[in-house]
Amino acid sequence: MTERLITSLTNDTIKAVRALHMRKEREATGRFLAEGLKFIGEALDQGRAPVMLLVGQDARPHPLLDRAKAETLKSGGQIIVVTHAILEKISRRDNPQTVLGVFEQVYTPLDAIQPDAKPCWVALEQVRDPGNLGTIIRTADSAGCGGVILIGDCVDPFSVEAVRATMGSVFAVSISKATREEFLAWRASWPGSVIGTRLDATHGYRDSPARHPALIMMGNEQAGLTDDLAAACDLNVKIPMRGRADSLNLAIATGIMVYALTDAAYGEGL
């Protein structure tokens, strides 16, 4: 196998990888960074080999690492061996993973989505927190959803923080993005129910059975779902607040909705 050793923090390749922490660089290159052998394995299982595999000099032998190297080279990618200091700089952690991967971003166009492929999909309007977005992608994967659609000015799903929170599900779940106008035009042809969440809704989240495929629409962490998107829903529902808290974290609320709407489709009780 062909491997290249880099020990300098000022090497142009290392600087380019470090720059992937910045959104403008990810958008310019169409690439993103994923950390850890588990993430690499999840990618390989989905047919996604890294364009660059960075391996620490102290990385222990492992069958999955051998597979990652082989598939990286087979797909035309690079294998670079780096020092611990470089791994720290790239990951911005004192205890970095010993294997990092650089991958191509993949977005699914709205018109390529096949609604009937899965019983449930998630649409998020202007989600701002990368941890929330990553957790929602992971939850959508766990619940058997088809994908996540980002509406408007959302946080980057391929930021290092969001990717970490997905725990590898970023490679398994379809991710789409659209302007509000594009989404509303596309939503008109959705074959199942479109369910929104609003604190001022009169129906509870279990009040009305959904026609699958169901599309769950969740709003911004602070403002919730905007009026025009709420009006595009077949039904708006709320999750009851029984204690002193007046709202739920967006990722938690999305998780409740996802499982409420997928359990019936998969023949399970909540």
Side-chain angles (χ1 to χ4, degrees):
M1 292 185 177
T2 303
E3 300 181 5
R4 180 159 60 107
L5 174 65
I6 295 179
T7 60
S8 172
L9 289 168
T10 60
N11 177 275
D12 287 343
T13 298
I14 299 305
K15 289 193 290 186
V17 174
R18 290 179 62 191
L20 293 176
H21 280 272
M22 297 184 293
R23 184 168 188 168
K24 65 177 183 179
E25 189 66 20
R26 292 193 300 273
E27 291 177 346
T29 62
R31 294 180 173 182
F32 70 100
L33 185 65
E35 305 169 317
L37 196 54
K38 179 185 182 299
F39 275 76
I40 306 299
E42 293 289 342
L44 298 177
D45 287 345
Q46 297 298 321
R48 302 273 301 279
V51 296
M52 187 182 300
L53 187 69
L54 295 98
V55 183
Q57 288 178 311
D58 56 350
R60 295 180 179 179
H62 193 283
L64 183 52
L65 180 55
D66 292 339
R67 179 189 170 195
K69 289 181 177 181
E71 295 197 23
T72 298
L73 291 176
K74 182 179 179 180
S75 65
Q78 304 178 60
I79 299 174
I80 299 175
V81 178
V82 296
T83 63
H84 184 80
I86 288 177
L87 290 175
E88 286 183 332
K89 285 294 185 180
I90 292 175
S91 66
R92 299 183 179 177
R93 289 183 169 186
D94 293 332
N95 57 338
Q97 299 280 351
T98 56
V99 182
L100 308 175
V102 176
F103 292 86
E104 299 285 357
Q105 299 179 20
V106 175
Y107 283 103
T108 300
L110 286 181
D111 58 9
I113 291 175
Q114 299 179 348
D116 291 324
K118 294 286 184 176
C120 186
W121 300 71
V122 178
L124 304 172
E125 182 186 19
Q126 295 183 336
V127 59
R128 302 294 192 190
D129 185 88
N132 275 340
L133 178 53
T135 301
I136 289 170
I137 291 172
R138 181 183 179 187
T139 302
D141 181 19
S142 299
C145 293
V148 174
I149 303 165
L150 306 177
I151 307 169
D153 184 19
C154 290
V155 68
D156 184 1
F158 296 108
S159 70
V160 172
E161 295 82 3
V163 171
R164 281 175 182 162
T166 71
M167 294 297 291
S169 292
V170 68
F171 299 109
V173 173
S174 166
I175 300 174
S176 306
K177 60 181 179 179
T179 65
R180 182 177 286 103
E181 293 73 23
E182 290 170 341
F183 175 80
L184 288 172
W186 172 83
R187 174 265 176 270
S189 62
W190 186 261
S193 296
V194 179
I195 310 295
T197 54
R198 297 263 291 196
L199 288 174
D200 59 359
T202 57
H203 295 279
Y205 73 107
R206 295 185 184 179
D207 283 356
S208 178
R211 291 178 292 106
H212 293 102
L215 177 61
I216 302 169
M217 292 176 57
M218 306 294 295
N220 172 269
E221 288 95 338
Q222 283 75 42
L225 203 60
T226 55
D227 291 340
D228 54 349
L229 286 187
C233 295
D234 299 314
L235 178 69
N236 285 287
V237 301
K238 64 181 178 181
I239 300 171
M241 300 293 108
R242 301 190 179 106
R244 289 184 57 83
D246 60 4
S247 64
L248 286 172
N249 166 271
L250 176 61
I252 296 294
T254 304
I256 292 172
M257 291 297 302
V258 161
Y259 274 93
L261 290 173
T262 56
D263 279 346
Y266 286 107
E268 300 167 350
L270 187 63

